Every structure is written in structure tokens, then in C-alpha cells.
Amino acid sequence: MAKTPTPREQARQRTIAEILRIGREQLAKEGAAALSLRAVARELGVVSSAVYRYVASRDELLTLLVVEAYTELGDRVDAAVDAAPGTPFERFAALARAVREWALAEPARYGLLFGAPVPGYHAPAEQTTAPGTRVVARLAGILEQAWAVQGGGSADDDGAGPGGRLPAQLAADLETIRREYGLTIPVQLLARGITVWSGLFGAVNFEVFGQYGRGTFTDPAAYFELVIRQLAAQVGIPEGPG
């Protein structure tokens, strides 16, 4: 049974939540590089030293915002995939649409995760890796499902497929990833899955950051649906029931 927070702990949680809210507003207005604990303190109506009792530095605040954003994105993707029909294509499409929709609704926070690095800031892996890999882990699960639906095969396939045989070191790296995530798909399919992952976020980046150019696509959502179908085809996920 979960322990009920004390009034003091509840007050601390509320203050941290307020600091994060102000941090999100700063991201949207000024950008991550301009994030300032002094500005947070002014917004809270307290002296700067009071904020440091809750957040030790700008970098710690950035990390809290990164973890919060990754968690929200992961939750949004999980909810969309879980609600989708059971076919691999519909689950993949739900994942892709959820990423795009969250990114367009939260461009500043998406930019913190996938945009230009913040000068002088290095995200601590021990805090950010787990939430930051939720979407790609969900994608890997969909690839596993699609592989199983189509009958599977040998997990030792080292690359005799589209794109040619993989170089030995790359195949070894992919094998490490495959084992780390407990996957049964062959490394060649995993390699194509990683290109799909980068292609999905590349398409979202282009739209969020205006890289297609203003007015290029009258209906960006329709173009994104084409991206979904093409990326699915790269990893052999059929649009039909299979």
C-alpha cells in the first residue's frame, strides 16, 4: 500500500510542479538555452535561493523537463497503440500519428527532446534513457508482432535482404541491441526498423520546424499518412489484416 505523502511532502510536490510549469512556459517563450532559475524565482515570487532548495541548477531543471516530456510522449504513444486495432499496421500508424500530434501540440518541448542541443547541457543517461527509449521500444514490439504474424524465421539472419549483407561490425552492434531489447527479429529487419525510427522522427522534425517550407503541402496530415505507409512498407508491415 502506497504511503500517503506528509503535508510537507505534498507542499514540496506542488512547488516542484509549479517550477516545471514555469519552466515549460520559459521553453515556449525563450527557448531551452535561455532557461533561468532566476526567472523561475521571479515568477514564483520568491528569492532565487528559495528555488535552489527544490532544483539545484539549470541543468537539473532541464533534466526534469526532459524526463517529463519523454514520459508524456511515451504515455501518449502507449495510449494510442493500446487503443488501436490489433494489426501491426494499425498499431504502427497509431504510434506515428501520436508522435506527430504530440509534437505539433508541444513544439517547444518536442524541440527540447529532438531539436538542437542546449549549449553546455548533457542529459544524464541514468535519468533520461529509460523514458527516452519508450517510443522506440514500442516500435520494436510492433516489429516483433509483424514478424510473428508473417511466420517469423531465423533470428540469425545477418543481412541477406534489401540493402545487402550488413558489415560485420554493424551486424554485431545490431545484435547487441537485439539482445538488449529481447527481440527475436533478425538483425537485417532491426536495421530497417532503425531507419524507420529515424525516418518517422525526421518527417515530424521537418513539419514541426518548418523545413518543408511554408505552403509546400496544403494538407500536411495527408502527406504524413503517405509517410506512414512508406515506412511500414520498408519493414514489411502490410496494410491489410495480416
Side-chain angles (χ1 to χ4, degrees), residues 89-105:
F89 178 82
E90 288 299 337
R91 289 163 65 85
F92 172 68
L95 179 150
R97 291 173 192 138
V99 170
R100 175 179 179 267
E101 288 165 7
W102 186 84
L104 292 174

Side-chain angles (χ1 to χ4, degrees), residues 6-219:
T6 65
R8 183 175 181 178
E9 290 169 340
Q10 291 175 356
R12 180 178 179 82
Q13 290 169 2
R14 287 194 298 270
T15 301
I16 292 175
E18 188 68 3
I19 289 171
L20 288 173
R21 179 191 66 79
I22 295 169
R24 291 193 298 270
E25 291 179 352
Q26 282 195 26
L27 281 178
K29 294 177 182 177
E30 308 292 341
L35 198 66
S36 163
L37 289 184
R38 289 183 180 275
V40 170
R42 284 197 301 270
E43 183 70 20
L44 278 174
V46 300
V47 297
S48 298
S49 58
V51 175
Y52 288 103
R53 293 202 297 267
Y54 301 94
V55 181
S57 65
R58 179 210 70 158
D59 282 8
E60 184 175 329
L61 177 55
L62 277 169
T63 297
L64 290 174
L65 290 167
V66 166
V67 171
E68 180 188 57
Y70 271 137
T71 299
E72 187 173 305
L73 174 59
D75 288 347
R76 185 73 62 86
V77 165
D78 282 346
V81 173
D82 290 342
T87 69
F89 178 82
E90 288 299 337
R91 289 163 65 85
F92 172 68
L95 179 150
R97 291 173 192 138
V99 170
R100 175 179 179 267
E101 288 165 7
W102 186 84
L104 292 174
E106 300 283 353
R109 297 167 74 199
Y110 181 85
L112 175 64
L113 302 181
F114 302 106
V118 180
Y121 172 70
H122 301 283
E126 66 275 10
Q127 293 175 256
T128 59
T129 297
T133 55
R134 283 179 59 185
V135 174
V136 70
R138 201 67 200 257
L139 173 59
I142 294 169
L143 293 181
E144 283 276 291
Q145 180 193 13
W147 177 247
V149 165
Q150 295 176 55
S154 172
D156 298 322
D157 178 5
D158 67 353
R165 188 168 298 278
L166 296 170
Q169 186 57 60
L170 177 56
D173 291 342
L174 289 165
E175 176 62 22
T176 298
I177 295 170
R178 194 175 71 85
R179 294 185 183 280
E180 180 180 346
Y181 280 86
L183 302 174
T184 63
I185 57 176
V187 292
Q188 178 68 31
L189 180 55
L190 177 59
R192 296 200 298 275
I194 292 174
T195 67
V196 165
W197 174 39
S198 61
L200 167 61
F201 279 90
V204 173
N205 277 26
F206 264 52
E207 186 171 356
V208 171
F209 302 132
Q211 296 301 310
Y212 289 123
R214 182 177 298 178
T216 299
F217 296 116
T218 304
D219 186 351

